[in-house]
């Protein structure tokens, strides 16, 4: 028999924190409306690898309104999410993200909803795969009083370019809708070796996938 679950309701679900020793029911607030289930769990289950989160969702341990859900399920306002006990190995020291200096991350545009920055080459969009902290973690550290700050999209660590960060949940949801509807145009520039004969060139070769000595997957 499953132990009686502790029920917790939050007006703003960003304040929710998953417990490691008990089942928790969390009510989705306005700040999490429209967010993917896996990203939501990753945010409230601090320090838990995303691969583990995906595993427990696929195993049916996470429920939305008492029903099974997929990792890409979009949350709705007032949904009740069952979060099972999640245990991770405790680190002896908790390294905090260092705030990123303005000169290291030039701001191209900012208003009450958006923050657009010029990401340099070598800076990961977010932590993971052996990287403690990326752009989003360091940007949050530089703005401790910013209640909400999320990546609207991602760029590879070795790719420099424009990145859009959402300062409100409403802006993030709308940006994702625009991307799905094809209303956002992305263009990439690269250096090539040799003569570029035509104005437009089609590259029709398979992607080469490999793993570095450190275990990092690359394409």
């Amino acid at each position: 028999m499953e132990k009686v679950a502790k029920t917790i309701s939050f007006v703003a679900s960003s304040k929710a924190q998953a417990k490691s020793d008990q089942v928790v029911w969390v009510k989705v607030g306005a700040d999490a409306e429209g967010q993917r289930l896996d990203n939501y769990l990753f945010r409230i289950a601090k320090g838990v690898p995303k691969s583990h989160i995906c595993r427990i969702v696929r195993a049916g341990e996470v429920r939305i309104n008492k029903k099974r859900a997929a990792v890409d399920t979009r949350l709705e306002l007032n949904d009740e999410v069952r979060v099972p006990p999640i245990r991770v190995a405790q680190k002896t020291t908790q390294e905090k993200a260092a705030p990123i200096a303005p000169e290291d991350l030039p701001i191209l545009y900012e208003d009450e909803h958006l923050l657009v920055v010029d990401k340099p080459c070598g800076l990961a969009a977010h932590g993971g795969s052996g990287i403690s902290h990326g752009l989003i973690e360091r940007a949050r550290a530089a703005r401790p009083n910013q209640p909400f700050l999320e990546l609207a999209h991602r760029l590879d660590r070795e790719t420099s370019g424009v990145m859009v960060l959402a300062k409100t949940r409403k802006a993030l949801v709308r940006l994702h809708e625009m991307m799905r509807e094809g209303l956002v145009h992305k263009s990439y520039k690269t250096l090539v070796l040799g003569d570029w004969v035509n104005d437009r060139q089609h590259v029709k070769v398979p992607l080469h996938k490999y793993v570095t000595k450190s275990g990092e997957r690359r394409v």
Side-chain angles (χ1 to χ4, degrees), residues 8 40 58 73 78 89 107 125 133 147 158 173 201 209 218:
I8 303 177
Y40 174 73
R58 294 191 183 104
T73 299
N78 294 326
I107 296 175
H133 307 108
E158 301 305 327
V173 172
Q201 194 78 16
K209 300 179 181 180
R218 290 195 175 186

Side-chain angles (χ1 to χ4, degrees), residues 122-151:
L123 177 63
H126 56 80
S129 299
I131 301 171
S132 299
H133 307 108
L135 181 154
I136 187 61
E137 290 86 4
R138 297 184 62 188
R140 288 170 182 158
R143 297 181 173 219
N145 296 322
Q146 180 73 47
F148 185 92
L149 196 61
E150 293 284 349
L151 295 170

